[in-house]
Amino acid sequence: MTTSFKNICTFTILIFCVAVCASQNLSKSSREKAIERKADSVLKLMTLDEKIGQMNQYNGDWEATGPITYDGDKQNQIRKGMLGSILNVTGVEHTRQLQEMAMQSRLKIPLLFGQDIIHGYRTTFPIPLAEAASWDLNAIKLSARIAATESAAAGVHWTFAPMVDIARDPRWGRIMEGAGEDTWLGSLIAKARVEGFQGNGLGSLDALMACAKHFAAYGAAVGGRDYNSVDMSQRALWEIYLPPFKAAEQAGVATFMNSFNDLNGIPATGNAYLQREILKGKWNFKGFVVSDWNSVGEMIPHGYAKDNYEAAMEAVTAGCDMDMESRSYIKNLSKLVSDGKLNPSLIDDAVKRILIKKFEMGLFDDPFRFCNVEREKQQWNNPSNLEKEKQMAEKTIVLLKNENQILPLSRQTKTIALIGPFIKSVRDNLGFWSYIWPDDTARIITTWKGIQEKINKDSKLLYAKGCNINDSSTAGFAEAVEIARQADIVIIQVGEAPDMSGEAKSRSNIHLPGMQEELVKAIQATGKPVVVMINAGRPLIFNWTADHVPAILYTWWLGTEAGYAIADVLFGDYNPSAKLPISFPRSEGQIPVYYNHYNTGRPAKNDNDLNYVSAYTDLPNDPKFPFGYGLSYTSFSYSDMDLSGKSFKAGDSISVSFNLTNTGKFVGTETVQLYVQDLVGSVVRPVKELKGFQQVVLKTGESKKITFTITADMLRFYNDKLEYGFEPGDFKVFVGSNSRDVKEASFALIK
Ligand code: NOJ
């Protein structure tokens, strides 16, 4: 290339950037059009190889989350404009180094830096499943906002989040990364997370591009085994699994990631129905789709492509715009075009989508705009972020049991025994998809530290580890029992290690691992009052503990300030308000167990009804803890449920109201839940579906009238022709504090 041509290209791109900046004041759609024109103009300057380069994404060669291919010189490829994006490189210094290489390329097209910012960056927030337990959409949005602010200040442009996969199988390790089992709640949370990550919009210095993943149905892997196949009806796909993706799309999510699984025999990465027909067709999604790690290449072991040549062809044809780490595109797309197998307009479309995002991020204007050392420093130690993290963590802790009001504890308690493998552990508070920083040990607040700082000076803390997380030794039991005997109250913290839930962390046995439940039994046998806290990334099974121990808190993986949040809850400075976003099974044999199941033709009348009904002969049908469940230190009563009428017509609405009273001794927040059942449909309908919730704060003795409005739109579902509509008929409406404990009334939707 001659120097003068190089200059023309640079000049041309500069002009575009000026135009893009000037366009900031234009209306949204004219700004979009202006950016589209600029992307078109850049596209015209590009060679086929440079276009293919934009569709190529490599790992930064450290912090790998999968197999890395070392063939080829990544840095040279950046200089040649053969790379559009890089993942797992953060920090202003590193991103600047690589971006400088991109600026040596002919067209100086900036790189996009992508990263799994799942639940925080410098400040680790509770895992996404825990955050879903807050049912607090503003708090969830704020958590994503802070994660975006911290990571954007460290040079990151793009997060591979939120994961919006609905999951009903707690054996699946990635359940920790989503919002649980309910589609409607999951859709609201998907929107909140996209809005949180993307802030005031792409181009703001504290906004990340979000990525709705994994498109689609990844959460329905057969047997809960990660990466496994998915076989499901069209109705289940549309009604249960797609809505959170649609919600993310409507919230303006910049990108989508396809998924590892095959869906009804076609790998999602090569699935034109999902990507072209639904996403880019019906939904008119304007952003781009990135593959999952090597998922293009994995179409070979799937048995869907013979080699990478075929895999690349299938993926691009199906609408996958960027290839993460498989090198199938960079090695094969040019030949596919020259062989006449791939229409180059598909490449143009993919590249244009990618360029548009780079323009929207302002990277053509200034490729180093996310590389500001001062901003990075400021966000590195931001005490306000830590405070917000603690507040979020408090909202996620679920009080599962509190017999005899053991909790909250008094600060005056003389001797407290703290027992269990999680009491003093540090990294175990963060969970999968969190970052390791050199000062973690000093920074992460352990349970021990949180409680130590909370209690009175003359109170005494005793400690014994008791056992490890996951081995068969009981050697530490005697010491633990001994200190329990000396205490006025015993707090035991058990659970699973952070690497036991997450990607590729499916487990067939989800009981409390190792000897931990035996430890709980040994301590409970001392007769001392016991509180058990459970750290986990999924619903675990702990029936003995649930049946015998008087007080239980589910403490998930709470993040950097975990210990402070735990101490606040234990001592009543925060009154628990969280509600489970997923059912907790009694045994693995019950999985999948979820609240919005069908009634069947032979529903069991009760747990003892085994008379040729749909039941297990050795297990009740209902879960140990139902969806929506969670206690408070206070108590609430629901009374005077009333409907505004007996029926309503489409276009009108009906309201359901009731009185909520705080009947206990503490100020408390109750998440009141509204469920509906369509009694007769052209296809069978679930026994309950969540349709609304409100978070209500009440003082002791205070009552409030709560009202929900139901419209016909809220009663829509997919019929067997995949038409989305409501059907006149009879309905039940339920209000209550969880999906099991409800009051009910009836109404009709009439023509
Ligand atoms: C594989 C995971 O499935 C995906 O969610 C993640 O974003 C990529 N690896 C990149 O780390």
Side-chain angles (χ1 to χ4, degrees):
M1 183 177 56
T2 64
T3 317
S4 59
F5 180 64
K6 211 196 257 172
N7 288 342
I8 289 169
C9 297
T10 314
F11 178 73
T12 321
I13 289 176
L14 259 173
I15 297 289
F16 302 153
C17 299
V18 172
V20 170
C21 290
S23 72
Q24 300 280 321
N25 296 328
L26 301 176
S27 73
K28 190 165 176 256
S29 76
S30 47
R31 200 166 65 229
E32 275 166 11
K33 280 189 192 127
I35 285 184
E36 211 182 315
R37 279 199 300 276
K38 307 308 159 199
D40 277 332
S41 314
V42 175
L43 200 61
K44 280 198 190 117
L45 300 173
M46 297 173 80
T47 63
L48 178 62
D49 282 347
E50 284 166 336
K51 289 176 186 172
I52 295 166
Q54 286 304 303
M55 298 167 70
N56 185 27
Q57 185 190 53
Y58 290 151
N59 181 60
D61 269 0
W62 58 88
E63 294 271 0
T65 59
I68 304 172
T69 43
Y70 278 106
D71 59 323
D73 172 356
K74 290 181 181 176
Q75 300 191 356
N76 268 340
Q77 292 197 38
I78 298 175
R79 291 191 184 95
K80 286 188 199 146
M82 300 310 292
L83 198 66
S85 171
I86 198 151
L87 76 149
N88 289 330
V89 176
T90 67
V92 160
E93 193 193 327
H94 287 141
T95 51
R96 179 178 283 278
Q97 270 168 11
L98 294 169
Q99 198 66 292
E100 270 164 2
M101 289 174 202
M103 289 306 108
Q104 292 165 32
S105 66
R106 187 179 78 96
L107 291 177
K108 304 188 187 323
I109 298 177
L111 289 169
L112 275 176
F113 292 98
Q115 187 77 20
D116 289 290
I117 306 294
I118 308 296
H119 54 118
Y121 178 64
R122 170 65 170 157
T123 308
T124 305
F125 277 75
I127 56 164
L129 183 63
E131 288 195 350
S134 74
W135 294 51
D136 185 335
L137 301 173
N138 287 332
I140 290 171
K141 184 168 162 181
L142 180 65
S143 157
R145 188 83 291 283
I146 291 170
T149 306
E150 288 185 355
S151 52
V156 178
H157 303 144
W158 178 18
T159 174
F160 304 124
M163 186 190 96
V164 304
D165 297 307
I166 295 301
R168 292 168 159 184
D169 192 330
R171 291 171 300 179
W172 189 53
R174 297 199 80 168
I175 206 158
M176 53 83 49
E177 208 180 323
E181 76 187 32
D182 186 68
T183 301
W184 186 71
L185 181 62
S187 301
L188 295 177
I189 291 176
K191 175 174 183 283
R193 289 194 164 128
V194 170
E195 288 174 354
F197 285 130
Q198 297 193 168
N200 288 331
L202 305 193
S204 313
L205 284 168
D206 59 1
L208 296 179
M209 302 199 310
C211 181
K213 72 186 186 185
H214 305 84
F215 198 60
Y218 182 46
V222 171
R225 203 181 73 212
D226 209 1
Y227 316 127
N228 205 359
S229 299
V230 175
D231 196 85
M232 72 166 54
S233 73
Q234 281 285 318
R235 280 204 333 101
L237 178 69
W238 280 90
E239 194 162 297
I240 299 161
Y241 292 89
L242 290 183
F245 287 100
K246 174 79 173 145
E249 192 277 323
Q250 286 183 326
V253 74
T255 64
F256 267 59
M257 183 185 288
N258 54 38
S259 55
F260 289 123
N261 58 283
D262 72 271
L263 175 64
N264 301 332
I266 307 205
T269 305
N271 199 313
Y273 173 62
L274 287 174
Q275 297 170 101
R276 289 246 180 253
E277 201 177 318
I278 299 176
L279 182 60
K280 293 177 176 175
K282 278 191 175 58
W283 297 355
N284 198 21
F285 173 62
K286 296 290 187 209
F288 70 88
V289 179
V290 63
S291 79
D292 204 340
W293 183 295
N294 190 36
S295 68
V296 177
E298 287 171 22
M299 287 199 282
I300 304 166
H302 266 295
Y304 191 69
K306 194 171 71 188
D307 48 25
N308 291 88
Y309 177 85
E310 258 186 42
M313 184 181 71
E314 296 291 355
V316 174
T317 308
C320 172
D321 303 308
M322 187 180 274
D323 172 9
M324 183 190 284
E325 262 294 331
S326 95
R327 299 189 179 215
S328 304
Y329 285 10
I330 199 81
K331 287 185 177 160
N332 296 289
L333 290 188
S334 178
K335 185 156 183 345
L336 280 162
V337 171
S338 60
D339 290 350
K341 295 265 173 59
L342 192 68
N343 186 337
S345 68
L346 294 181
I347 293 186
D348 284 353
D349 175 62
V351 176
K352 185 171 162 185
R353 286 167 182 271
I354 295 164
L355 292 176
I356 285 174
K357 291 301 160 209
K358 293 186 175 184
F359 271 111
E360 286 176 3
M361 291 295 285
L363 293 171
F364 277 102
D365 183 26
D366 174 5
F368 303 103
R369 61 197 301 265
F370 291 85
C371 298
N372 179 309
V373 177
E374 280 315 307
R375 213 165 41 235
E376 184 177 46
K377 261 197 215 145
Q378 200 269 329
Q379 286 304 326
W380 189 248
N381 280 322
N382 184 339
S384 135
N385 293 354
L386 288 173
E387 178 59 23
K388 306 261 170 38
E389 197 286 303
K390 187 197 79 161
Q391 290 166 0
M392 180 81 232
E394 289 169 353
K395 287 170 191 268
T396 71
I397 297 175
V398 190
L399 179 64
L400 293 178
K401 199 174 170 191
N402 194 21
E403 261 172 26
N404 308 324
Q405 299 229 292
I406 286 200
L407 292 173
L409 304 177
S410 154
R411 276 189 173 76
Q412 268 83 50
T413 312
K414 283 277 169 274
T415 309
I416 304 174
L418 296 179
I419 295 173
F422 291 90
I423 294 288
K424 289 197 173 176
S425 61
V426 178
R427 286 269 318 153
D428 288 339
N429 289 301
L430 302 192
F432 206 86
W433 296 119
S434 51
Y435 293 92
I436 298 178
W437 304 119
D439 55 352
D440 271 355
T441 313
R443 205 163 157 265
I444 296 167
I445 309 303
T446 61
T447 301
W448 175 264
K449 185 171 159 72
I451 294 176
Q452 197 178 40
E453 289 185 20
K454 179 70 74 180
I455 52 171
N456 281 353
K457 288 215 172 60
D458 48 359
S459 298
K460 197 158 91 185
L461 286 187
L462 306 174
Y463 168 72
K465 188 174 178 192
C467 64
N468 290 323
I469 296 172
N470 196 13
D471 65 24
S472 56
S473 170
T474 55
F477 279 27
E479 184 199 5
V481 166
E482 179 49 34
I483 68 148
R485 288 213 175 96
Q486 296 166 34
D488 301 307
I489 183 120
V490 187
I491 300 171
I492 313 176
Q493 197 170 20
V494 288
E496 58 177 7
D499 60 357
M500 295 173 92
S501 284
E503 186 181 346
K505 301 292 179 283
S506 294
R507 294 204 288 129
S508 65
N509 174 351
I510 57 167
H511 281 66
L512 272 174
M515 299 310 287
Q516 295 182 95
E517 195 150 50
E518 295 306 310
L519 176 68
V520 173
K521 287 180 192 170
I523 303 298
Q524 175 74 10
T526 63
K528 294 287 178 172
V530 173
V531 178
V532 165
M533 302 195 291
I534 300 174
N535 277 28
R538 54 156 63 85
L540 290 179
I541 297 168
F542 45 93
N543 293 328
W544 192 94
T545 302
D547 294 341
H548 295 88
V549 169
I552 303 172
L553 288 164
Y554 216 70
T555 42
W556 312 100
W557 291 320
L558 293 175
T560 314
E561 299 275 291
Y564 287 150
I566 284 172
D568 278 356
V569 166
L570 284 173
F571 291 89
D573 291 331
Y574 186 87
N575 183 358
S577 56
K579 302 276 189 179
L580 297 176
I582 185 149
S583 310
F584 275 41
R586 293 171 189 271
S587 97
E588 290 87 356
Q590 220 184 14
I591 296 170
V593 56
Y594 46 92
Y595 83 95
N596 47 354
H597 57 83
Y598 296 144
N599 203 33
T600 80
R602 292 187 177 198
K605 287 191 197 71
N606 52 52
D607 287 350
N608 301 322
D609 181 10
L610 297 179
N611 191 21
Y612 289 89
V613 291
S614 179
Y616 296 107
T617 55
D618 55 355
L619 201 66
N621 279 357
D622 69 328
K624 190 75 185 164
F625 296 104
F627 174 84
Y629 177 85
L631 302 172
S632 162
Y633 293 153
T634 197
S635 48
F636 296 99
S637 80
Y638 289 67
S639 63
D640 306 314
M641 184 177 180
D642 191 27
L643 286 180
S644 59
K646 288 193 167 133
S647 60
F648 74 105
K649 280 186 185 160
D652 283 347
S653 63
I654 194 166
S655 35
V656 47
S657 57
F658 57 94
N659 283 330
L660 181 74
T661 307
N662 181 341
T663 51
K665 295 195 196 117
F666 300 87
V667 179
T669 302
E670 170 72 326
T671 301
V672 295
Q673 298 158 40
L674 173 82
Y675 297 87
V676 166
Q677 181 186 15
D678 188 341
L679 291 178
V680 180
S682 61
V683 290
V684 295
R685 304 300 306 143
V687 294
K688 277 188 196 106
E689 290 177 278
L690 182 70
K691 295 290 179 184
F693 66 89
Q694 293 178 35
Q695 300 201 296
V696 188
V697 185
L698 291 182
K699 293 192 206 98
T700 313
E702 195 184 356
S703 273
K704 196 171 172 189
K705 183 172 174 183
I706 311 292
T707 304
F708 286 100
T709 302
I710 300 171
T711 63
D713 267 351
M714 291 162 67
L715 308 175
R716 300 213 280 172
F717 61 90
Y718 287 93
N719 67 15
D720 64 339
K721 296 184 191 73
L722 290 186
E723 294 155 345
Y724 191 57
F726 45 78
E727 294 176 356
D730 293 332
F731 292 80
K732 271 189 185 172
V733 55
F734 310 87
V735 293
S737 67
N738 62 65
S739 61
R740 187 182 56 199
D741 303 318
V742 288
K743 296 197 177 303
E744 64 175 72
S746 301
F747 68 85
L749 176 66
I750 51 177
K751 277 191 192 146

